[in-house]
């Protein structure tokens, strides 16, 4: 079965001003590298459908959804700042609903048996978004909205979340801390934005803060020694990945030492586990990754492993 590649042209229309690192060209860099490498030809490409208000309300508050709608700017060149780093233009709300909808589409397609793996090439990203607050370039928590939908609709009892972005996925942690149906494993540079995640928020949160300049080899060690034993014991029925590529050594947003072969290796571990316990079911969401060349190359390595190419 082919890996799903879910995206939407409107995800390019959200932009937060010139020189903002979370830019539309990120999606072009990914698409270009997938095309040039030949990987795109092996994928099942689909256009995302927007998440409904009911779907977003599983993870976000009605007040927040109303606030976003009320402040969505009209017309070209107008912005509304949700926080100093996170802005809305007139297309942002549509893009954010499509980004969240991509995951819902992936859950349904995989549960129907049309595919076993999916990559959602979407923006805005999601893992910092809190129930009632935009944060760190994120509007809706795309992964969390999809996890909540999968738990609700398909009566799953054990879902794993793996977050290898350079930043702590504070929004996802807040949404699932204490929910025994979910095990979240993450590493992240510390001390670093968003300056939390150290110490265990709950039994089901496995956070591994690492120092700046930690190498890819050491991060592999974290995965094999700390995450994998917990994940194997948990026996997830579905695995969701917050795939940020800003831990790449060429990405100036962070100071970790991942390279393409590390992303490939980590993805292979995830695929191996999914094949054992989850009927191969994996959905990966684009989070960070701001060096366009490194981002495109790393996503190719990630998808090659996801699709077993
Ligand atoms: Zn990040």
């Amino acid at each position: 079965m082919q890996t799903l590649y879910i995206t939407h042209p409107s995800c390019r229309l959200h932009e937060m001003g010139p020189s903002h690192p979370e830019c539309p060209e990120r999606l072009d860099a990914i698409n270009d590298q997938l095309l040039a490498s030949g990987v795109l030809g092996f994928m099942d490409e689909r256009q995302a459908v927007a998440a409904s208000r009911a779907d977003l309300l599983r993870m976000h508050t009605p007040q927040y959804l109303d606030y976003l709608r009320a402040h969505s700017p009209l017309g070209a060149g107008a912005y509304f700042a949700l926080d100093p780093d996170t802005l809305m233009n007139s297309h942002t709300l549509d893009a954010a609903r499509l980004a969240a909808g991509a995951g819902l589409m992936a859950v349904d397609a995989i549960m129907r048996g049309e595919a076993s793996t999916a990559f959602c090439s979407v923006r805005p990203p999601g893992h910092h978004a809190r129930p009632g607050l935009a944060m760190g370039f994120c509007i809706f928590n795309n992964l969390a909205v999809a996890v909540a939908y999968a738990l609700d609709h398909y009566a799953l009892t054990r879902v794993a979340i793996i977050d290898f972005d350079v930043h702590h996925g504070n929004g996802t942690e807040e949404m699932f801390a204490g929910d025994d149906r979910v095990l979240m494993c993450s590493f992240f540079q510390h001390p670093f934005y968003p300056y939390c995640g150290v110490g265990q928020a709950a039994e089901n949160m496995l956070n591994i803060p690492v120092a700046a300049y930690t190498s890819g080899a050491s991060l592999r060690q974290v995965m094999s020694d700390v995450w994998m034993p917990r994940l194997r014991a948990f026996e997830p029925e579905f695995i969701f990945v917050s795939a940020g590529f800003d831990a790449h050594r060429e990405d100036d947003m962070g100071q970790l030492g991942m390279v393409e072969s590390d992303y490939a290796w980590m993805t292979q571990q995830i695929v191996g586990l999914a094949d054992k316990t989850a009927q191969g079911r994996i959905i990966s969401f684009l989070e960070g990754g701001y060096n366009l060349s490194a981002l495109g190359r790393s996503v190719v390595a990630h998808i090659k492993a996801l699709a077993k190419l």
Side-chain angles (χ1 to χ4, degrees):
M1 271 185 296
Q2 291 179 316
T3 295
L4 300 173
Y5 175 61
I6 306 179
T7 184
H8 195 285
S10 293
C11 288
R12 283 192 90 272
L13 300 177
H14 157 64
E15 52 84 20
M16 298 183 279
S19 78
H20 197 294
E22 206 289 277
C23 59
E25 290 76 14
R26 298 176 65 230
L27 298 185
D28 302 337
I30 290 170
N31 200 74
D32 287 355
Q33 288 287 342
L34 287 173
L35 199 58
S37 63
V39 169
L40 198 56
F42 292 94
M43 300 185 81
D44 178 352
E45 191 170 348
R46 301 192 187 185
Q47 238 179 48
V49 173
S52 69
R53 182 175 170 94
D55 286 328
L56 296 170
L57 283 173
R58 285 198 189 84
M59 285 287 119
H60 294 285
T61 64
Q63 295 82 358
Y64 177 55
L65 301 186
D66 295 343
Y67 175 83
L68 292 175
R69 186 178 293 271
H71 292 91
S72 182
L74 300 170
Y79 297 101
F80 179 79
L82 294 163
D83 81 6
D85 303 320
T86 314
L87 289 82
M88 285 198 291
N89 73 356
S90 61
H91 300 287
T92 298
L93 213 41
D94 283 343
R97 290 178 60 221
L98 288 161
L104 304 175
M105 177 183 265
V107 169
D108 282 338
I110 288 173
M111 293 308 288
R112 281 197 301 260
E114 296 166 17
S116 55
T117 56
F119 180 73
C120 299
S121 193
V122 292
R123 53 184 293 281
H127 74 155
H128 297 303
R130 301 178 59 191
L133 202 66
M135 227 182 116
F137 316 160
C138 302
I139 311 280
F140 298 134
N141 197 316
N142 307 321
L143 175 145
V145 167
V147 168
Y149 176 76
L151 289 168
D152 257 23
H153 267 253
Y154 295 101
L156 300 177
T157 54
R158 294 182 312 280
V159 170
I161 299 171
I162 294 173
D163 188 328
F164 55 66
D165 191 276
V166 77
H167 303 98
H168 173 50
N170 61 295
T172 314
E173 174 171 286
E174 182 175 351
M175 288 166 173
F176 293 112
D179 184 337
D180 292 336
R181 299 171 301 173
V182 174
L183 172 65
M184 180 174 178
C185 297
S186 69
F187 62 69
F188 46 88
Q189 184 175 326
H190 177 79
F192 201 41
Y193 183 88
Y195 305 101
C196 57
V198 180
Q200 209 175 355
E203 266 295 304
N204 66 325
M205 293 290 146
L206 190 52
N207 293 339
I208 312 296
V210 298
Y213 307 107
T214 298
S215 67
S218 300
L219 294 167
R220 291 191 197 199
Q221 204 75 42
V222 165
M223 183 171 199
S224 58
D225 293 356
V226 188
W227 290 359
M228 293 311 290
R230 272 291 289 277
L231 286 163
R232 280 193 287 265
F234 184 66
E235 298 184 334
E237 300 163 307
F238 209 135
I239 302 176
F240 290 76
V241 181
S242 262
F245 298 92
D246 42 10
H248 194 286
R249 62 185 291 171
E250 290 176 8
D251 197 308
D252 293 335
M253 190 68 82
Q255 287 83 39
L256 296 185
M258 293 275 286
V259 293
E260 289 86 321
S261 55
D262 298 312
Y263 290 111
W265 184 88
M266 284 189 185
T267 309
Q268 284 159 5
Q269 310 309 303
I270 298 168
V271 167
L273 176 69
D275 283 347
K276 281 203 185 75
T277 74
Q279 299 173 45
R281 297 188 286 227
I282 303 168
I283 302 177
S284 172
F285 294 80
L286 177 64
E287 300 284 1
Y290 305 99
N291 177 305
L292 298 181
S293 173
L295 172 64
R297 285 158 18 222
S298 300
V299 171
V300 167
H302 175 57
I303 291 179
K304 274 186 176 169
L306 204 57
K308 301 178 183 168
L309 295 175

